[in-house]
Amino acid sequence: MIRKISVLLLTLLMVTMITACGSSNESTQNDEPAETGGSEPVSGGWELYDNEANTLPKDVQTAFDKAAESFKESELKPVAYIASQVVAGKNYMILCEADTTTEDQATSYKMVVVYADLEGNAEITQVKEFDLAAYTEGDSTEISTEQFAGGWETAEDRSSVVIPKEAKEAFRKAAENLDGNELEPMALLGTQVVAGTNYAFLCFSTLQTEETINGIQVVTVYEDLDGNAEISNICTVDPADYNE
């Protein structure tokens, strides 16, 4: 009799341990964090590339830091130094990643104009949406030979951000047969999955005509599934469009 009771108690103990172990495993699985994806897609199916912060020239960085201290609408991270304009002081145009500070957090590109006066004060005077899709649509590779309006000069004093190896290689293949326009990638702005991959690069361009013309352009490179690459679109970024 005592032996039967012992066997029964042992059986109940084993069932209890198995049940507890199963509950523990379920709890562990439910507590695992959900996988997080990349940045949110923007218009046209483009996904922004999370650029490492660009190193601005010292005077531009100083002005940007001062101006950004009092800007509360979003958190701005420089991606590329675009152009400058001499006024009663100087205007600096900087392409930035912008993270909204509202509950619905989103990342986008903004073209930011920072005004630095002659006394060392600085403020943000313009923040406009930089629509990547607007610069990548169409199949035209025409290059503007007109100088920018409003006295804007493209910034040659700039630092390149890190561009992924596969994107850099696709750009090299696509640009090797491009005549008359030397393109230097400044940043990878976004990627788009198609039957292959589209890459959108922000580039400093040097157009060789009767005179050398510098500019900023968004260059779209298409790489197919076999690794072949070509430039499918070039669109000039005009600083005058972002300053009123």
Side-chain angles (χ1 to χ4, degrees), residues 117-233:
D117 66 20
L118 299 174
E119 298 177 355
N121 303 306
E123 63 177 331
I124 292 176
T125 57
Q126 291 284 345
V127 178
K128 289 191 175 182
E129 191 75 23
F130 183 89
D131 185 1
L132 180 58
Y135 288 95
T136 56
E137 294 174 352
D139 56 2
S140 173
T141 56
E142 293 183 2
I143 303 166
S144 173
T145 58
E146 297 180 0
Q147 295 285 6
F148 296 134
W152 286 96
E153 294 184 1
T154 52
E156 295 188 54
D157 185 7
R158 63 199 179 280
S159 300
S160 298
V161 295
V162 176
I163 297 175
K165 182 178 179 180
E166 63 274 12
K168 189 177 293 186
E169 179 62 16
F171 183 90
R172 184 194 65 77
K173 291 179 184 177
E176 61 185 0
N177 295 321
L178 186 64
D179 294 328
N181 187 21
E182 182 180 340
L183 298 172
E184 178 188 346
M186 298 167 63
L188 174 63
L189 298 182
T191 59
Q192 184 187 49
V193 177
V194 286
T197 304
N198 283 326
Y199 297 99
F201 297 90
L202 186 72
C203 295
F204 180 83
S205 68
T206 304
L207 185 62
Q208 302 293 345
T209 58
E210 294 181 357
E211 59 178 326
T212 300
I213 299 175
N214 294 327
I216 303 294
Q217 296 174 328
V218 175
V219 178
T220 306
V221 170
Y222 167 65
E223 184 179 37
D224 66 21
L225 297 175
D226 295 322
N228 303 305
E230 63 179 355
I231 293 176
S232 58
N233 197 64

Side-chain angles (χ1 to χ4, degrees), residues 7 14 33 53-54 77 88 94 110 115 121 141 161 183 196 199 238:
V7 171
M14 291 177 64
N54 198 352
K77 182 176 74 172
I94 304 163
K110 304 284 187 183
Y115 167 63
N121 303 306
T141 56
V161 295
L183 298 172
Y199 297 99
D238 189 346

Side-chain angles (χ1 to χ4, degrees), residues 44-67:
W46 285 92
E47 184 173 308
L48 301 187
Y49 177 69
D50 187 15
N51 289 286
E52 296 184 10
N54 198 352
T55 303
L56 304 177
K58 186 176 180 179
D59 56 339
V60 183
Q61 185 71 60
T62 299
F64 177 84
D65 290 341
K66 287 182 180 179

